[in-house]
Amino acid sequence: MLLQCFEQAQDSSVECTQKYSIKEILFSTIVAVLDGARSWDEVSFNAELYLDFLRKFLPFENGIPSQDTYNRVFQLIKQESIEPALKDCAQAILKTLEPEAETLNIDGTQMLEGTQTGGVTVPQLSAWCSDYGDGISFGQLNVSSKSNEITAIPQLLKLLDIKGALLTISAMGTQPDIAQQIHESSASYLLSLKANHPTLFETVKDLCSNYSPISQHESDVETNCDYTYALSCEVFKVLEREVPMAQLWAGLQRIVKVKVVTTHNVSKKVVEDIRYYLTNDTKRNAEQYLQATRNHLRSENDCHWQLDVILNEGASRKYAGNAAKNVKQLLRLCTNIVKTINFTGPFRNASMRNKCRLIVHRQELMSQVLYGVSGAN
């Protein structure tokens, strides 16, 4: 499967030498990255170390490219050329899920994009699915500044197959145009509503105060060392006479109210946080909406934790041109690759980093990655 995805990365802007194919370069880089390589000299050294293993899948008739060749090719490859491999891998995993379980979390973060002379932070949008195990990365899109996330979200959505999915987006993306795009794509939105829409925000608060919910749910109390959390959710039907601006939001049907009560275990201080969401969805109940909002918060931790801490995304800053973006794509692809493997025995509960390395050392596991998805781990 992965080799077929790499064929989509053929890019007219990249003229590979006659010595190495683009598939050989991408495949050897994936193997090196799975084994922990984070710089081009490490990639080249690692690929040379595993040359016999690599030749079980591709010819590599001329051996392994130099670190300069890897660097030059990844500078030239356009980010959108690798994006289909990331998306197709995620879609293949999601085929094992029930359709109603699919929730995509759109979230912004800051990516460290390094060069030989220093690093800069670049705003980045990520699409993450928390319904599946530790989460699946669907794609990413870099934007020029934080204020441009509003215009970048529609671009990211165009890269994804969102039909039938529920998309959760933070308050930055709560815009009528984005809601319309999602609605017209036969998908559902769950948009966080805050004071950046003051009139609608106050109207929604009044609606939830004056009417009874059509669905409600209280989750089990959760406790850690310092705090106890009580979460509840109520769903309200949108009434046009109470929400006259509802017509600006395509397909708007429900208001979701989530309340989080946090109690400090020692001081007993109680803090109540109430959040409101807009949605065009009518299939889900309060329990499912509450889980979707929690998944959105999880995506911020799961996605960034896996990439920054486990896969050490920022280990090397010496990437120029498009290389930084492309390496980030490969790291996200690696997190998805691990989830295509059905690990058994003592390796079932291994860390993601160790599972990555295990794939490199087991031919049968690499075959699953390259030629087909075997199932969930």
Side-chain angles (χ1 to χ4, degrees), residues 21-93:
S21 70
I22 188 69
K23 286 201 298 184
E24 289 176 334
I25 291 177
L26 290 174
F27 174 48
S28 58
T29 303
I30 279 285
V31 170
V33 169
L34 283 171
D35 203 47
R38 292 297 179 268
S39 62
W40 298 127
D41 59 329
E42 290 178 352
V43 168
S44 182
F45 176 82
N46 189 291
E48 190 71 49
L49 190 65
Y50 290 107
L51 179 57
D52 291 340
F53 176 80
L54 296 173
R55 280 177 170 163
K56 294 177 180 179
F57 304 96
L58 292 175
F60 288 91
E61 294 178 353
N62 295 297
I64 297 301
S66 68
Q67 66 181 66
D68 291 335
T69 300
Y70 281 110
N71 189 18
R72 183 173 63 256
V73 170
F74 273 85
Q75 286 185 43
L76 295 175
I77 294 177
K78 295 179 180 178
Q79 182 184 1
E80 54 267 27
S81 298
I82 296 181
E83 187 72 33
L86 179 64
K87 185 179 70 173
D88 289 350
C89 184
Q91 292 285 4
I93 298 170

Side-chain angles (χ1 to χ4, degrees), residues 217-219 230-234 257-261 286 290:
H217 173 74
E218 291 187 7
S219 70
L231 293 84
S232 62
C233 179
E234 296 178 331
K257 175 183 177 182
V258 174
K259 182 168 69 173
V260 181
V261 179
L290 181 59

Side-chain angles (χ1 to χ4, degrees), residues 279-291:
T279 183
N280 62 333
D281 177 70
T282 59
K283 299 178 181 179
R284 294 166 177 81
N285 56 33
E287 182 178 4
Q288 292 169 311
Y289 288 127
L290 181 59
Q291 186 60 49

Side-chain angles (χ1 to χ4, degrees), residues 1-4 27 54 56-58 363-374:
M1 179 200 67
L2 193 58
L3 289 181
Q4 294 177 347
F27 174 48
L54 296 173
K56 294 177 180 179
F57 304 96
L58 292 175
Q363 182 177 347
E364 67 275 13
L365 297 183
M366 183 58 71
S367 295
Q368 292 180 30
V369 170
L370 294 177
Y371 303 118
V373 176
S374 64

Side-chain angles (χ1 to χ4, degrees), residues 76 115 150 269:
L76 295 175
T115 65
I150 296 174
K269 180 180 179 181

Side-chain angles (χ1 to χ4, degrees), residues 243-302:
V243 190
M245 64 284 293
Q247 59 184 349
L248 299 177
W249 301 85
L252 180 60
Q253 297 288 333
R254 301 284 187 264
I255 301 297
V256 177
K257 175 183 177 182
V258 174
K259 182 168 69 173
V260 181
V261 179
T262 305
T263 304
H264 193 275
N265 294 335
V266 177
S267 67
K268 302 303 179 183
K269 180 180 179 181
V270 178
V271 177
E272 184 178 274
D273 180 25
I274 297 179
R275 305 163 188 168
Y276 298 95
Y277 301 85
L278 308 177
T279 183
N280 62 333
D281 177 70
T282 59
K283 299 178 181 179
R284 294 166 177 81
N285 56 33
E287 182 178 4
Q288 292 169 311
Y289 288 127
L290 181 59
Q291 186 60 49
T293 60
R294 297 180 68 182
N295 282 349
H296 188 91
L297 296 177
R298 277 186 56 202
S299 71
E300 299 176 1
N301 295 325
D302 291 347

